[in-house]
Amino acid sequence: MLRLHRLQLIPAVFAITILLAACGVDAQSSSTPDAAEGTATGPRTVAVAMEDMKFVQAELTVKTDETIDFRFTNNGQVAHDAFVGDNAAQMEHEAEMVEMGATTDHDDDEAAIVLQPGESGDLAYTFDTAGNYEVGCHQPGHYAAGMKMNVTVE
């Protein structure tokens, strides 16, 4: 009778092993490489290519209190930067960049990143208030030429 119980456990152990293996699917195998869904435990990643006078992605919608991990890649021929903020912050940053020469590395600014041609970099930003934001490039003449991404926070 003891042998019968052991034999009955083998299919059950096998089924549990298959079930556990199926639950361990790699989350990186998403079918959408540019934007993965955010979860309650982590931010959403959004890939954004920079070209000579534009961000390839022109619009983004996020939820209030959502953190976005931006993954910027400069595919252009000149340096680009990305600064996150509302329109008033963009105008203030544009004035600062004109005054400073626009070549600073933004080391003291958590909402900005500068990338040389061919470089990639990450910038995390939490959109804590509903409204309209932008990601703007403030290299000389870029923002004025329309190099910005509109971000709607709902």
Side-chain angles (χ1 to χ4, degrees):
M1 189 159 195
L2 185 57
R3 285 184 181 206
L4 181 60
H5 288 285
R6 284 185 184 167
L7 290 176
Q8 289 173 337
L9 287 177
I10 291 172
V13 170
F14 182 74
I16 290 172
T17 302
I18 290 174
L19 180 64
L20 289 175
C23 290
V25 174
D26 183 7
Q28 297 296 327
S29 63
S30 172
S31 62
T32 56
D34 288 346
E37 286 296 320
T39 65
T41 60
R44 177 168 44 137
T45 300
V46 176
V48 180
M50 303 162 138
E51 292 183 353
D52 288 321
M53 281 299 185
K54 68 178 181 178
F55 293 103
V56 173
Q57 181 170 346
E59 301 282 332
L60 179 65
T61 301
V62 302
K63 295 179 178 141
T64 303
D65 293 324
E66 183 176 9
T67 298
I68 301 295
D69 279 341
F70 289 101
R71 176 70 175 163
F72 292 101
T73 302
N74 184 349
N75 295 328
Q77 300 298 313
V78 297
H80 289 295
D81 63 56
F83 174 78
V84 183
D86 62 15
N87 187 263
Q90 295 292 335
M91 294 295 101
E92 183 179 322
H93 190 71
E94 177 74 2
E96 289 173 3
M97 294 300 288
V98 167
E99 184 178 312
M100 296 168 48
T103 57
T104 63
D105 289 331
H106 298 286
D107 288 336
D108 60 338
D109 197 335
E110 294 178 9
I113 187 171
V114 177
L115 298 172
Q116 298 302 315
E119 289 184 335
S120 293
D122 299 322
L123 175 66
Y125 191 87
T126 301
F127 294 91
D128 55 2
T129 305
N132 296 312
Y133 291 76
E134 295 177 341
V135 178
C137 178
H138 294 277
Q139 294 298 305
H142 292 205
Y143 189 77
M147 190 167 180
K148 57 185 108 174
M149 177 189 343
N150 295 315
V151 181
T152 302
V153 182
E154 300 175 333

